[in-house]
Amino acid sequence: MGPASAGAQDRGTAGGPEVIEVALEGTAKEGKKESSKKRTLAGCPVEGLLQPAKLTRAELYKEPTSEELNRLRETESLFHSSLLRLQVEELLKEVRLPEKKKERIDAFLREVHQRVLKVPSTPKTELTDQTWLPAGVRVPLHQVPYTVKGCFRFLPPAQVTVVGSYLLGTCIRPDINVDMAVTMPREILQDKDGLNQRYFRKRALYLAHLAHHLGQDPFFGSVRFSYTNGCHLKPSLLLRPRGKDERLVTVRLHPCPPPDFFRPCRLLPSKNNVRSAWYRGQSPPGDGSPEPPTPHYNAWVLQDMTLESHMQLLSTVLGSALGLKDGVALLKVWLRQRELDKGLGGFSGFLVSMLVAFLVSTRKIHTTMSGYQVLRSVLQFLATTDLTVNGISLCLSSDPSLPALADFHQAFPVVFLDSSGCLNLCADVTASTYHQVQHEARLSMALLDSRADDGFQLLLMTPKPMIRAFDHILHLHPLSRLQAACHRLKLWPELQDLGGDYVSAALGSLTTLLEQGLGSRLHLLAHSRPPVSEWDISQDPPKHRDSGTLTLGLLLRPEGLTSVLELGPEANQPEAADFRQFWGSRSELRRFQDGAIREAVVWEAASMAQKRLIPHQVVTHLLALHANIPDTCVHYVGGLLDALIQSPKEASNTKGRMVMSQGGELVMVPNVEAILEDLAVLGEGLVQAVEARSEKWTV
């Protein structure tokens, strides 16, 4: 083959672009076909996938409605960010009860209602004659003393109604509890049943008979007893469905008297309804001294009488106000994450609901507010209002026969009266618990005002048990030692009022004692009692010592924490005798440099780590001296990080690390001094480099 001719070369050269254009055109046509195929595939809706909404140009660029503008304005002014609003709304969706589950729960409630009304009656017997009870059921009450006057017979309830958060729409998941008030008929009650626990004995017997018959019904998967809010005089009956819905709901039956059966004037906090001669077995003193009042006992009777009236009040206030219900749900989540709503004396969801009703009545909350606004308003009120000093009341009556708030403050540490003016809703709440609620409310408001990115996570999503909230923790165990503490502190009236609950009787005196002893070292003292677990209907109710451990939390001030000296009054002052009585053998006379001779207490602490643990010495000394609780029963948790910051006994300094000898073992730990030296050298080098660069570019 020879070389091509010049014409052929020219045609080949000239035809090169044509060939390329044809190739590109073919590629473009193929690309158009492929793109058209892709558009065809994209246009075909795929089953199971959401398709984008097709909007016209007018719809896409139309002006926002007034509702959308209000929502944007509300988000900007209240939620600080759209993210916080979305987080709150998603949380509410998670804790609300779905409609499908409501239908199944309603069906279960209808069956419970019918079965409770069909329980047969029993013949009339004395309260102390309990031989009619079957062998498979026990009375869910400690009957001490056992002898009591009165008669009992079981008759079907006069009324069974649903009360509580389920009917209001404020219950939250995961634990759904539905409260049902079982109204006992008037025929089985007597006028003087308010005396000497007669009403509570009849209430327990009524519940035991219900438990026996409902426990034999195959419709129920579980029938068990439990205490109502930890109160051992007020058991309740727990009913659960059988089968796959066993964890769907727990129905709690609460026997109660007719609303107007007991006279409220006989149940005021200054009245006595537990006679000393009956409870202590002692004859009344001959000097004519009055019986000690029983405010807590009276409040527990009033609580059963006002179940329906409180339900009507909350239903009227909350009604169709979805924002108020959302606010109550958020507050319940807030309390649950901090474990403030558990056990006897907890700040329950019912108290929060009544507090929202109070703020609505005082126009501090409006029914048109959103759930987030309600949350902020309630937290702000709790942070700035001390109910231990200035109580509040829902009562609008000006009846002069009703007691004043000052009368309730003498009987209870925290005061919040209901609409009747006779019942303190916070009768079981201790001052320590309320101060802890106040402290957490202040921290939450500061967190919300800081507009932190993780504010929602810290406020409503992060659990905050006592071990995370306090500096030092102490556990009192066994609880039976508190019975001896009641004897040492002479708390007979409190035991008589609380029905023998020596843990609750001693709790207030112990917290006051420790607060006085710790003084300026202490910022906050709180307590935690684990809720009493439910028990089978064939078992005896748990005793007070079976409720676990009493836990106290100490939040300390750094200012006076390491002081080894408790300075008392001068020796010639009358307060010196009280100081010596309070501190016992630890108190001694000392002469100071200014020439003053004072009572003083000096704690043994050589190192800074030991000084930080001076509260341990204070607590154990005072509990042993005044409450007869030895240090072996006090399990103190504090100063756990001191071992990490103490100087080592033997160390071999190397670059970046050192070897410590602890208990004969060699441990490799960071050499902080060497690391700091390296950082100092690095910092000097950076400064020199910056200065050199600045000098180089200086004009």
Side-chain angles (χ1 to χ4, degrees), residues 472 517-518 521 554 556 560-566 583 586 601-622 636 638-639 642:
H472 292 181
L518 293 170
R521 292 183 174 89
L554 308 179
L556 303 171
L561 177 61
T562 57
S563 175
V564 297
L565 179 66
E566 300 287 345
W583 291 107
R586 300 293 306 219
V601 175
V602 179
W603 305 103
E604 297 85 3
S607 63
M608 185 59 67
Q610 294 176 352
K611 290 181 180 180
R612 285 192 289 267
L613 287 176
I614 287 178
H616 184 195
Q617 301 183 46
V618 176
V619 167
T620 54
H621 173 71
L622 292 178
Y636 200 91
D642 289 337

Side-chain angles (χ1 to χ4, degrees), residues 251-383:
V251 176
R252 301 185 292 198
L253 300 184
H254 304 275
C256 61
D260 56 347
F261 185 81
F262 295 110
R263 290 186 299 169
C265 62
R266 287 293 308 149
L267 298 171
L268 297 180
S270 59
K271 301 296 183 180
N272 172 274
N273 284 294
V274 181
R275 303 293 189 253
S276 301
W278 173 78
Y279 184 76
R280 303 187 199 175
Q282 301 175 355
S283 59
D287 55 0
S289 58
E291 291 275 357
T294 54
H296 292 88
Y297 177 94
N298 302 343
W300 291 336
V301 178
L302 283 171
Q303 287 173 3
D304 284 356
M305 291 177 55
T306 54
L307 285 176
E308 295 185 15
S309 62
H310 290 163
M311 181 65 198
Q312 294 173 0
L313 172 65
L314 292 176
S315 179
T316 303
V317 173
L318 301 181
S320 59
L322 184 59
L324 298 183
K325 296 180 181 180
D326 291 345
V328 171
L330 292 174
L331 287 165
K332 286 184 177 181
V333 174
W334 182 80
L335 290 171
R336 180 174 294 180
Q337 295 288 20
R338 287 152 183 80
E339 298 182 355
L340 297 172
D341 58 340
K342 295 183 178 180
L344 181 63
F347 207 81
S348 63
F350 167 72
L351 289 179
V352 165
S353 303
M354 296 299 287
L355 185 58
V356 169
F358 170 78
L359 295 178
V360 170
S361 66
T362 55
R363 299 182 180 180
K364 294 182 179 179
I365 289 180
H366 197 269
T367 54
T368 59
M369 285 185 173
S370 64
Y372 179 75
Q373 289 176 292
V374 174
L375 174 67
R376 284 188 61 100
S377 299
V378 174
L379 291 180
Q380 178 67 23
F381 177 82
L382 290 173

Side-chain angles (χ1 to χ4, degrees), residues 475-553:
H475 305 282
L476 298 181
H477 184 79
L479 291 180
S480 56
R481 295 298 307 182
L482 295 180
Q483 192 169 8
C486 291
H487 290 277
R488 173 67 69 88
L489 297 171
K490 298 179 180 179
L491 301 176
W492 299 112
E494 287 79 2
L495 287 172
Q496 186 172 330
D497 179 25
L498 297 170
D501 185 1
Y502 49 81
V503 180
S504 298
L507 186 56
S509 298
L510 291 182
T511 54
T512 303
L513 176 71
L514 297 182
E515 286 174 352
Q516 182 180 354
L518 293 170
S520 60
R521 292 183 174 89
L522 185 67
H523 177 70
L524 177 66
L525 186 148
H527 60 82
S528 174
R529 294 178 60 181
V532 181
S533 58
E534 58 192 50
W535 68 96
D536 192 78
I537 61 175
S538 61
Q539 298 175 347
D540 291 324
K543 298 181 179 179
H544 304 302
R545 63 172 179 264
D546 299 332
S547 58
T549 302
L550 176 62
T551 303
L552 301 178

